[in-house]
């Protein structure tokens, strides 16, 4: 898929901003390039082509049974079902053809085969490898067969060009593009049909444009059409570039020719697309390229083309100098005031499509180059949108490359205009200084490229002079060194400067620079930049030394400058600094000078015994572990060799494995686990050390340490798995004699047995750590490691396995894992559930019917517990049990009526049948509980909170394969009931969460006098609430007694849970907090359930019956539900959780085919903005509590816009909100202003709007500062919150509480 400019980073340039959480080092402790991972072999999928009946008959007619000819080979190929085998077959075609005699061109068999090859080529998709293989083979056709082959391909191509369906144009366009890509037969075919091809391209552009206009608003269809349109622009560009001789023949001698008319139409379309702001930026950018290319191909004399482009860019409308054909096709658009974006795309097109090398365009070309620079620099202060800023930075980088190419001409005038002291270069340097810390990675990368090119431009101009004494470089060096080291742009710029003047020139000015840079590596945001600069400097310094010093004595001096300061910091530096130096700097140093490792080991071992380190410093031992780990991970070290030679002892590594500094333990573990080769055999000593490590380190309290331990052990298990496969192959391939000769060394089978024993010991230790009452860190570590074991050693059937976790499992261990579901930590539940699911078959085989029944009973009991984490335990238990084949017979039959229709449907999976039954049971129970809650919400909160049941229903739905259901009718009915149940439950609990009282206060007391007193308070604090739970203070015990008597009269439903019956008459005391928790958790689960239904279930395109499980009307009603609760809820927990479900709904709406559903977000947004602006006294929007759910509501609507769209809703919303946040009329109501400030704060904090929200930051700052001066406290408060959010958006999150701000230094 075509990727728009700005979506990816260049391959080289400035370091990316780290994505790691603040204060948490990367999981491996070494650079990502050295991470040893288990690489799965990517299976190449090749779709086989099929021959139709007529083609097969034709080949059978010419094929010969007694010998292989071309027809029999193609027949065999067409009958294969495997694409890979077809590729091998096609490769045999050319050797067979070359063996034919000279008269084969007259053979009807050859013609028939070529016809079929042509038809096959055009039928294959562009991504199918068969297409390229076929083209490559046909490129080797003998000369005598080329005319016949061209004739066959022309016939096929002519049929392709007859396509009239707009949605099939893409296939034709792809075929045309493929024909022009290193395929001589394809190019020859297009040359023969050049006129028809141009006419088809002209028609396709117009048709796709019209289809796009008719589907306005349908984002899915428009996205597809945009990519088709992009391809329809690219193909004629390829045509002009690769087959230009066809155009430049008699083209402009006869302006009446069809080819000329088609080219004029293409030119007109390209300028039209360029000016159309509704199209994707990629389409506009490519149209700019096409406009310049087509004009260049058609314009005469070519020397005047630069002047024409200059006039267009500078807005000089000189109709007299423009040819009549150009004015008639482009005059209207070109004489208009060009927008900033169009100017940018024209500059990009001119730089990319004109030939700047040697300035073949003369003085007008030089003028155009300088004019483009002027236009680009003027645009840099105007363009605000992120995608335009990215495009501008890339265009400026292209300009510097073009300038470098132009300097080859040795033009004196150009050298004067482009030397380092010129005005143009000075302005470009200012552009670099203002953009080298831009928040967008791509802009920073491009800025570095621009700076490097500017240096090369000056270097080219002054070539032959001493660069070290050049005033421009001297002034630039002095300026860069004067900047503070917290300026990120300083690092990359100095790196570029070092490449020009050398490291020694910089060190002569200040010898402490390496130390200063190392000191800055305690900040993770600066560490990548600092390490890149250090790498550039020490690599350049080494080159300088080796070229100037003949002896090897220079290495000591080099070590003193670059290695000794590093070792000192590793021993005594703080945690962050040493971690970042090991991650970013040390691997680069060892890559530059691997021999320096012996120097490091010698220095560190000398003081390792005396300097063991502490809990805050690594000491020499920790530094040694870090260096050894990094060296081994990058292939500079063999652990077995240094241990056998006594350079590092096992005792030394043991000291590291139990060191009081966490990172030293991790480095020692990494030394054992991480290797450069994933198939390196794990030695017995390493296994013993790993078991020693597990004994002491499973209970680490640091989450980052636990993650690193699990990551390192995962790499070790990958090594064992991969090396075991190598050992199996060695054992199979060795002869008996080789085995006897090898008996003195380690035998493969012996190593494999050691592997098995080791993994068994590891599992024993991990299961022992899961004893009842074990700590959360221990459980997390043990379950994560066991999960890795289960995943890595789950080899396909038929493949030899060194270890299987299934064999280590017994009923006690299954029970241990299931007990982990009861943990109060969600992540432990998740890990245990995932592991049990991997061992599902063996787990079920070890459980009898009685245990399954008890587990199911426990799950149902827990689903109505008043402890919130119990319902999560119930959900995991039920999600596990639904896979049991006998679940219905064992326990479900006791709870619900048996459905014979489910037995009749044998195609339905066990999991689907059981899930449907479980959801039905849960739904019956929750419906009864809602009925009881309507009579007494207080009793429901105390005895049977409903949110647990709903949580279990949502969990069961989330693991269903909704694209592969068979019980469709039953699921439709179930979905309808679930939606109705959600509305009923919401109606019961919403009065609490929508109350204007402080967090849903429910006063209660046993004393009548106090109840009257509280009734008076209620009237004061909540005049708007009408729910009787708030307007009447209840004497709870009496109320519970009355309600119990009423319940006793009513016969319980047949299917209601027994636990409710037993608790009906219990006396209870209920606090306000209990009711509040029950209500807002119920709202949360309802929101998540409705969101899940919208997200997972396919939506019908219309309301008539179809295979969809949810109707358009149901989706609309769900949308209205979310809208109501987001805009009405007062309790933050309620509207935050309604937001979670609403986001799922809006994302689904933006992708669906129904136009009415697709338009709903836009309509909802317009309505809420109008209500905010209206200041209607009857409005129910909450102006306090930071506007409650309104910001969440608007966030969800805006975040649903496709990322590659023009973000029209965001632009409209920001315009409205900024006008409300800073009103021109002071007498206007402050409520809209407060709402606008609160909503803006939420939008600026939303990371999903990231790049698109940046252009509005300046206006947001202005609105916040103006709000400080308001006489109304609410406005001042909201303005302060907005200002704080904007500061975070601009400068990033402060990483440490006591961190001195780097941003405010002068």
């Amino acid at each position: 898929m075509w990727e728009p400019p700005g979506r990816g980073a260049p391959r080289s340039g400035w370091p990316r901003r780290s994505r790691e959480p603040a204060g948490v080092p990367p999981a491996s402790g070494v650079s990502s390039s050295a991470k040893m991972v288990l690489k799965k072999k990517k299976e190449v999928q090749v779709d086989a082509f099929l021959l139709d009946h007529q083609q097969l008959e034709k080949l059978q007619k010419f094929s010969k049974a007694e010998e292989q000819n071309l027809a029999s080979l193609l027949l065999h190929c067409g009958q294969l079902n495997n694409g890979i085998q077809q590729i091998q077959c096609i490769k045999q075609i050319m050797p067979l053809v070359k063996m034919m005699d000279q008269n084969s061109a007259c053979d009807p068999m050859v013609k028939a085969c070529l016809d079929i090859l042509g038809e096959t080529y055009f039928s294959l998709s562009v991504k199918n490898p068969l297409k390229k293989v076929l083209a490559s083979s046909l490129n080797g056709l003998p000369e005598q067969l080329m005319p016949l082959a061209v004739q066959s391909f022309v016939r096929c191509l002519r049929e392709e060009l007859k396509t009239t369906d707009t949605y099939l144009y893409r296939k034709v366009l792809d075929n045309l593009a493929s024909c022009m890509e290193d395929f001589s037969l394809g190019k020859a075919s297009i040359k023969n049909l050049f006129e028809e091809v141009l006419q088809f391209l002209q028609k396709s552009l117009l048709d796709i444009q019209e289809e796009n206009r008719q589907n306005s608003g349908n984002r899915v269809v428009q996205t597809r059409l945009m990519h088709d349109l992009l391809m329809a622009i690219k193909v004629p560009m390829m045509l002009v570039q690769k087959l230009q001789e066809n155009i430049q023949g008699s083209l402009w001698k006869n302006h009446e020719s069809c080819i000329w008319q088609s080219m004029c139409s293409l030119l007109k379309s390209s300028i039209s697309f360029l000016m159309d702001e509704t199209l994707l930026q990629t389409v506009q950018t490519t149209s700019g390229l096409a406009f310049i290319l087509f004009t260049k191909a058609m314009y005469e004399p070519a020397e005047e083309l630069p002047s024409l482009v200059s006039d267009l860019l500078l807005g000089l409308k000189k109709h007299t100098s423009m040819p009549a054909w150009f004015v008639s096709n482009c005059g209207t658009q070109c004489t208009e005031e060009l927008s900033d974006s169009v100017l940018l795309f024209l500059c990009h097109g001119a730089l990319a499509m004109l030939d700047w090398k040697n300035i073949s365009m003369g003085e007008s070309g030089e003028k155009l180059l300088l004019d483009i620079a002027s236009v680009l620099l003027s645009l840099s202060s105007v363009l605000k949108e992120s995608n335009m800023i990215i495009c501008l930075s890339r265009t400026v980088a292209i300009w510097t490359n073009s300038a470098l190419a132009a300097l080859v001409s040795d033009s004196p005038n150009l050298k004067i205009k482009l030397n380092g002291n010129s005005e143009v270069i000075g302005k470009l340097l200012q552009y670099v200084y203002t953009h080298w810390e831009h928040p967008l990675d791509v802009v920073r990368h491009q800025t570095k490229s621009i700076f490097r090119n500017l240096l090369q431009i000056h270097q080219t101009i002054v070539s032959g002079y001493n660069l070290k004494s050049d005033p421009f470089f001297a002034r630039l060096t002095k300026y860069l060194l004067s900047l503070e080291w917290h300026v990120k742009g300083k690092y990359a710029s100095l790196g570029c400067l070092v490449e020009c003047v050398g490291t020694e020139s910089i060190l002569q000015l200040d010898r402490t620079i390496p130390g200063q840079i190392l000191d800055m590596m305690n900040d993770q945001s600066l560490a990548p930049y600092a390490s890149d600069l250090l790498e550039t400097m020490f690599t350049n310094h080494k080159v300088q030394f080796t070229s100037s010093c003949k002896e090897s004595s220079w290495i000591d001096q080099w070590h003193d400058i670059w290695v000794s300061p590093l070792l000192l910091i590793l021993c005594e530096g703080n945690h962050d600094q040493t971690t970042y130096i090991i991650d970013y700097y040390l691997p680069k140093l060892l890559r530059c000078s691997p021999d320096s490792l012996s120097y490091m080991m010698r220095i560190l071992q000398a003081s390792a015994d005396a300097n063991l380190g502490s809990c805050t410093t690594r000491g020499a031992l920790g530094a040694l572990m870090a260096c050894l780990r990094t060296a081994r991970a990058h292939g500079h070290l063999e652990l077995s060799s240094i241990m056998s030679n006594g350079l590092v002892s096992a005792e030394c590594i043991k000291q590291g494995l139990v060191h009081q500094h966490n990172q030293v333990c991790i480095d020692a573990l990494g030394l054992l686990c991480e290797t450069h080769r994933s198939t390196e055999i794990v030695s017995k000593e390493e296994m013993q050390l790993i078991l020693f490590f597990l004994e002491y380190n499973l209970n680490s309290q640091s989450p980052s340490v636990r993650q690193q331990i699990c990551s390192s052990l995962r790499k070790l298990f990958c090594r064992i798995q991969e090396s075991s496969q190598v050992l199996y192959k060695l054992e199979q391939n060795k002869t008996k004699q080789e085995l006897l000769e090898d008996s003195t060394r380690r035998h493969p089978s012996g190593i494999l047995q050691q592997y098995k024993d080791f993994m068994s010991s590891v599992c024993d230790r991990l299961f022992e750590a899961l004893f009842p009452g074990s700590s959360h860190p221990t459980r997390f570590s043990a379950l994560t490691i066991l999960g890795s074991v289960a995943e890595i050693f789950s080899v396909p059937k038929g493949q030899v396995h060194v270890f299987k976790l299934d064999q280590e499992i017994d009923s006690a261990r299954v029970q241990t894992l299931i007990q982990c579901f009861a943990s109060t930590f969600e992540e432990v539940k998740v890990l245990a559930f995932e592991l049990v699911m991997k061992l599902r078959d063996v787990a079920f085989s070890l459980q009898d019917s009685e245990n399954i029944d008890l587990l199911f009973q426990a799950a149902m009991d827990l689903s109505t517990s008043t402890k919130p984490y119990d319902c999560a335990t119930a959900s995991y238990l039920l999600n596990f049990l639904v896979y049991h084949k006998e679940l219905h017979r064992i326990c479900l039959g006791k709870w619900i009526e048996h459905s014979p229709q489910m037995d009749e449907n044998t195609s339905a999976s066990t999991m689907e049948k059981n899930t449907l039954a479980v959801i039905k049971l849960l739904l019956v129970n929750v419906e009864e509980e809602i009925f009881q809650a309507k009579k007494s919400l207080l009793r429901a909160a105390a005895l049977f909170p409903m949110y647990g049941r709903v949580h279990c229903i949502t969990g069961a739905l989330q693991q269903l394969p909704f694209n592969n259901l068979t019980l469709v009718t039953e699921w439709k009915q179930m979905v309808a009931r679930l939606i109705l149940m959600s509305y009923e439950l919401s109606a019961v609990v919403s009065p609490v969460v929508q109350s204007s009282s402080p967090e849903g206060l429910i006063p209660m007391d046993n004393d009548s006098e106090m109840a009257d007193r509280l009734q008076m308070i209620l009237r004061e604090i909540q005049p708007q609430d009408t729910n009787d739970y708030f307007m009447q203070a209840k004497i709870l015990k009496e109320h519970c007694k009355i309600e119990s008597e009423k319940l006793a009269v009513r016969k319980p439903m047949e299917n209601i849970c027994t636990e409710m019956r037993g608790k009906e008459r219990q006396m209870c005391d209920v606090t306000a907090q209990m009711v509040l928790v029950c209500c807002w958790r119920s709202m949360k689960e309802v929101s998540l359930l409705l969101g899940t239904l919208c997200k997972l279930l396919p939506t019908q395109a219309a309301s008539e019956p179809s295979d969809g499980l949810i109707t358009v009307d149901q989706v609309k009603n769900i949308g209205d539900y979310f809208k109501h609760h987001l805009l009405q809820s007062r309790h933050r927990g309620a509207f935050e959780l309604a937001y979670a479900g609403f986001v799922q709904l809006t994302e689904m709406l933006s992708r669906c085919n129904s136009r009415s559903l697709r338009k709903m977000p836009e309509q909802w947004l317009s309505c809420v903005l109008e209500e905010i602006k209206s200041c209607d006294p009857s409005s129910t929007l909450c102006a306090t509590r930071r506007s409650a759910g309104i910001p969440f509501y608007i966030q969800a609507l805006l975040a649903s816009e496709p990322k590659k769209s023009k973000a029209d809703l965001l632009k409209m919303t920001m315009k409205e909100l900024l006008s409300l946040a800073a009103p021109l009329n002071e007498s206007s109501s402050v409520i809209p202003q407060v709402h606008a400030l609160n909503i803006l704060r939420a939008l600026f904090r939303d990371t999903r709007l990231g790049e698109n929200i940046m252009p509005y930051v300046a206006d947001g700052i202005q609105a916040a500062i103006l709000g400080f001066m308001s006489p109304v406290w609410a406005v001042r408060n909201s303005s302060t919150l907005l200002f704080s959010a904007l500061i975070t958006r601009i400068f990033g999150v402060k990483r440490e509480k006591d961190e001195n701000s780097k941003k405010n230094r002068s």
Side-chain angles (χ1 to χ4, degrees), residues 867-1098:
K867 297 175 182 177
Y869 54 81
D870 281 348
C871 67
T873 302
S875 177
Y876 287 116
L877 273 173
L878 291 173
N879 285 354
F880 167 60
L881 292 173
V882 293
Y883 285 91
H884 197 288
K885 293 180 179 179
E886 299 296 320
L887 183 67
H888 199 285
R889 181 185 61 80
I890 294 171
C891 46
L892 274 175
K894 303 175 187 177
W895 298 81
I896 58 173
E897 187 178 337
H898 187 63
S899 174
Q901 289 86 357
M902 291 175 64
D903 285 342
E904 292 172 8
N905 195 332
T906 56
S907 61
S909 66
T910 300
M911 183 261 192
E912 184 185 348
K913 291 179 181 178
N914 286 342
T915 301
L916 183 62
V918 167
I919 291 177
K920 184 178 180 181
L921 172 61
L922 290 167
L923 183 57
V924 166
N925 280 284
V926 80
E927 285 172 345
E928 175 63 19
E929 290 166 357
I930 291 171
F931 176 80
Q932 301 295 340
K934 287 178 181 177
K935 302 172 69 174
S936 174
L937 183 58
L938 305 179
R939 170 171 288 278
L943 301 180
F944 43 86
M946 299 144 290
Y947 58 81
R949 310 280 200 196
V950 184
H951 178 83
C952 292
I953 291 172
T954 306
L957 285 172
Q958 286 175 340
Q959 68 171 4
L960 267 179
F962 279 94
N963 57 348
N964 191 27
L965 294 179
T966 53
L967 303 171
V968 176
T969 304
E970 290 84 350
W971 280 114
K972 279 186 180 181
Q973 297 169 358
M974 182 60 64
V975 167
R977 287 182 63 188
L978 287 173
I979 293 173
L980 289 176
M981 177 274 293
S982 300
Y983 294 156
E984 289 182 12
L985 176 54
S986 176
V988 173
V989 300
S990 58
V992 175
V993 295
Q994 291 177 11
S995 168
S996 57
S997 63
E999 303 307 330
L1001 173 67
I1002 301 178
M1004 61 195 73
D1005 204 278
N1006 296 330
D1007 183 74
S1008 299
E1009 183 181 347
M1010 186 59 72
D1012 293 338
R1013 172 72 176 163
L1014 290 172
Q1015 177 64 36
M1016 183 181 67
I1017 296 172
L1018 276 173
R1019 291 196 184 96
E1020 293 177 2
I1021 66 172
Q1022 48 180 49
Q1024 295 179 358
D1025 289 323
T1026 58
N1027 189 287
D1028 66 339
Y1029 298 123
F1030 305 105
M1031 293 303 291
Q1032 298 177 23
K1034 308 245 180 179
I1035 301 176
L1036 188 60
K1037 288 186 178 178
E1038 180 184 351
H1039 169 75
C1040 289
K1041 182 179 179 182
I1042 295 170
E1043 293 296 328
S1044 297
E1045 290 171 355
K1046 290 180 181 179
L1047 285 171
V1049 175
R1050 187 178 184 276
K1051 182 182 178 181
M1053 280 187 63
E1054 185 178 346
N1055 293 326
I1056 189 169
C1057 288
T1058 54
E1059 76 270 17
M1060 188 191 298
R1061 298 175 192 163
K1063 296 176 182 176
E1064 277 176 353
R1065 296 178 180 82
Q1066 289 181 7
M1067 301 298 289
C1068 57
D1069 289 323
V1070 185
T1071 64
Q1073 288 79 5
M1074 287 176 67
V1075 178
L1076 180 63
V1077 167
C1078 172
C1079 292
W1080 81 258
R1081 279 192 173 272
S1082 296
M1083 287 290 284
K1084 162 194 171 181
E1085 297 302 339
V1086 165
S1087 298
L1088 293 177
L1089 174 58
L1090 291 175
T1092 300
L1093 292 174
C1094 290
K1095 183 180 179 181
L1096 297 180
L1097 306 188

Side-chain angles (χ1 to χ4, degrees), residues 621-656:
L621 176 64
L624 179 62
M625 291 295 113
C627 293
L628 291 175
R629 175 194 185 182
T630 305
R632 189 183 190 195
H634 288 79
H636 306 306
L637 174 72
E638 288 287 341
L639 182 62
S640 56
S641 63
I642 63 169
M643 288 185 72
S644 60
N645 294 335
L647 295 176
V648 175
S649 65
E651 288 303 315
C652 178
I653 297 176
K654 274 189 176 182
Q655 280 185 307

